[in-house]
Amino acid sequence: MTTATIGLLYGAATLLVMFAGMPIAFALGAVATVFMIAFMPAASVDTITQNVYEEMSSITILSIPLFIVKGSAIGPSRAGQDLYGALHAWMHRIPGGLGIANVFACALFAAMAGSSPATCSAIGSAGIPEMRKRGYSGGFAAGIIASGGTLGILLPPSITMILYAVAAEQSLGRLFLAAIGPALLLVVLFAGYAMWRFTHEYDAAKVAYAGGGAASELLREDKLTTRDKFALLPRVLPFVILLTGVMVALYGGFATPSETAGLGAVLALILIALIYAVWTPRELAPILTSTLKESTMLMFIIGMSLLYSYVMSYLHISQSTAEWIVSLHLSRWVLLTAILLMVVVLGFFLPPVSIILMTAPIILPPLRAAQFDLIWFGVIMTIVMELGLIHPPVGLNLFVIKNIAPDIPLRDVVWGVMPFVVLMILAVIVLCVFPEISTWFANLVMGK
């Protein structure tokens, strides 16, 4: 049987098992095991556990459960509400300041927690009711939070980027640094749209009120004193210091990514104990249980994905596919566009973790042959995978928003995120035209 035939069977079997409803980890592991039995030496089956262990024994992957501990500690606490409250207090006089405060709060919380769903839940639980109380439409409020939450897989510490660094054999520190510029670009685009949309709705409300209509809550002005603003800072500053300290430890060369993850986890537990008095075994149990469940699920997906990739490589499926793509002699930008469109389609059905581990063996060799910077591409690919978190049919953040704001129709949530989808596509185009936005900071800190 030819490699092409085996490859087609491999892909078809994977799709069939996934569409049957089998969990991703079991689906990938089952397909890989069946093809090992059918097409590889019998002794290879005896090495399944050894292969999975060897693939997962990377010191970089070790940092994932530790970053999850940090996110699990901060996520359920009131840190998100306090962060949002402080930013709102300082930005309420800016047109659309409430929406902008939510964007910034999502960015900062994402950098602390490293999780998109956690960011949506923590900031959205306070931000969406407050925005709606101030006259923001349900779709607009939901769009801000759902889109801001996607920054969780772009800003360090991003588990998605950790896995990309392992799969692409690239420097994790350089990859984290390369994500900062694009993340700031997205924050600026999101905040700019929030300001424009608010101004548009404010003007419409003003015209309606002048015509004899009821006064919209958008027209109400908050009155906060300087004392009120500074009173909100003590609860927020420790977490900002935590974020800064972790970044300095990582990029200053004082600690490895795994050591930095451990430092962040310990400091997060200490902070929630000191600030929110979360220190008893009963209060810590949900945090540790959540960490254990999420880490086990994620590590199992990683292990089975790596086994899946190993079988694909052993059977020369990935190499042959990569060689076929190169043989098409596509221009480098057509190649990049085709690959990113494939990632978008996969985002309809798969989480970013699985997309990276399943596609890396196939897409990275042609990209390397086309002389693309794989650090830059990692950032681009992450932004494209962010789209999968907010676009139908599976967008995870859409359902997180629906859970915390069940009275907002899903149709309104979907239409609310569409402008942000356009902005993210625009950001990808800008980064393709000006790749220095991603690369300059990493080159400045770590050298070329």
Side-chain angles (χ1 to χ4, degrees):
M1 191 175 293
T2 65
T3 301
T5 303
I6 295 175
L8 290 173
L9 287 174
Y10 201 60
T14 304
L15 292 175
L16 180 64
V17 174
M18 284 186 173
F19 282 126
M22 183 179 292
I24 291 173
F26 291 105
L28 297 178
V31 171
T33 302
V34 168
F35 274 74
M36 288 180 79
I37 295 172
F39 299 104
M40 293 171 63
S44 63
V45 179
D46 299 330
T47 65
I48 289 177
T49 53
Q50 178 184 347
N51 285 330
V52 172
Y53 173 78
E54 288 179 351
E55 295 286 356
M56 293 181 63
S57 61
S58 165
I59 192 68
T60 305
I61 291 180
L62 175 63
S63 64
I64 292 176
L66 297 173
F67 279 128
I68 291 176
V69 172
K70 182 162 76 81
S72 297
I74 294 173
S77 73
R78 295 190 305 277
Q81 297 180 20
D82 289 343
L83 180 62
Y84 155 75
L87 287 169
H88 172 224
W90 285 89
M91 295 183 176
H92 72 281
R93 290 188 177 277
I94 302 172
L98 182 58
I100 296 172
N102 277 279
V103 172
F104 285 1
C106 283
L108 290 173
F109 193 87
M112 291 190 289
S115 167
S116 290
T119 301
C120 280
S121 180
I123 304 301
S125 59
I128 289 179
E130 189 67 18
M131 281 190 284
R132 298 191 70 192
K133 188 169 73 176
R134 303 301 174 90
Y136 285 63
S137 63
F140 182 28
I144 289 175
I145 299 298
S147 306
T150 63
L151 297 170
I153 68 169
L154 182 61
L155 283 164
S158 164
I159 292 173
T160 300
M161 287 199 157
I162 293 173
L163 293 177
Y164 177 84
V166 172
E169 299 179 347
Q170 299 294 313
S171 164
L172 178 59
R174 183 178 290 275
L175 188 60
F176 277 175
L177 286 171
I180 293 176
L184 292 177
L185 173 63
L186 284 175
V187 169
V188 170
L189 289 175
F190 291 171
Y193 171 74
M195 183 181 294
W196 175 84
R197 174 73 178 268
F198 173 85
T199 302
H200 179 73
E201 293 191 357
Y202 179 87
D203 290 341
K206 203 170 182 180
V207 169
Y209 179 64
S216 170
E217 287 296 322
L218 286 173
L219 304 178
R220 183 165 65 114
E221 293 186 5
D222 293 319
K223 295 182 179 179
L224 293 173
T225 65
T226 303
R227 183 176 181 179
D228 293 332
K229 296 177 181 179
F230 280 100
L232 293 168
L233 292 181
R235 283 181 175 266
V236 177
L237 285 178
F239 291 100
V240 175
I241 293 172
L242 164 64
L243 174 62
T244 304
V246 168
M247 294 298 104
V248 169
L250 178 61
Y251 300 126
F254 301 106
T256 65
S258 298
E259 292 168 346
T260 303
L263 173 65
V266 171
L267 290 178
L269 291 172
I270 292 174
L271 284 178
I272 64 169
L274 295 177
I275 297 175
Y276 301 109
V278 177
W279 59 272
T280 65
R282 173 180 288 183
E283 292 169 323
L284 290 175
I287 294 173
L288 299 179
T289 301
S290 172
T291 299
L292 183 61
K293 288 181 178 179
E294 187 173 348
S295 298
T296 302
M297 175 193 70
L298 191 56
M299 297 301 281
F300 198 44
I301 291 175
I302 293 171
M304 293 301 101
S305 297
L306 292 172
L307 177 65
Y308 183 89
S309 299
Y310 164 74
V311 174
M312 190 188 298
S313 178
Y314 187 93
L315 297 175
H316 294 280
I317 297 172
S318 55
Q319 296 94 319
S320 298
T321 305
E323 290 171 2
W324 174 74
I325 293 173
V326 171
S327 70
L328 294 176
H329 300 294
L330 301 172
S331 72
R332 60 199 307 260
W333 294 109
V334 173
L335 172 66
L336 177 67
T337 302
I339 288 174
L340 293 180
L341 288 175
M342 180 187 72
V343 172
V344 169
V345 173
L346 290 175
F348 290 156
F349 314 104
L350 298 174
V353 170
S354 298
I355 294 174
I356 288 174
L357 295 175
M358 289 174 63
T359 63
I362 295 173
I363 65 176
L364 293 181
L367 289 169
R368 191 179 285 110
Q371 299 183 339
F372 279 109
D373 183 341
L374 293 187
I375 292 288
W376 169 84
F377 174 75
V379 175
I380 295 290
M381 184 178 182
T382 301
I383 295 175
V384 172
M385 287 188 294
E386 286 180 347
L387 290 172
L389 295 173
I390 60 174
H391 67 55
V394 183
L396 177 60
N397 286 8
L398 301 181
F399 296 100
V400 174
I401 295 297
K402 187 61 182 169
N403 183 55
I404 62 177
D407 57 322
I408 302 178
L410 184 59
R411 179 176 179 274
D412 291 350
V413 176
V414 171
W415 281 111
V417 301
M418 285 300 117
F420 294 94
V421 169
V422 174
L423 291 176
M424 293 168 75
I425 294 173
L426 174 62
V428 170
I429 295 172
V430 170
L431 289 171
C432 289
V433 177
F434 304 104
E436 296 81 9
I437 295 174
S438 174
T439 58
W440 76 270
F441 191 46
N443 292 336
L444 177 67
V445 175
M446 305 186 72
K448 293 186 178 180

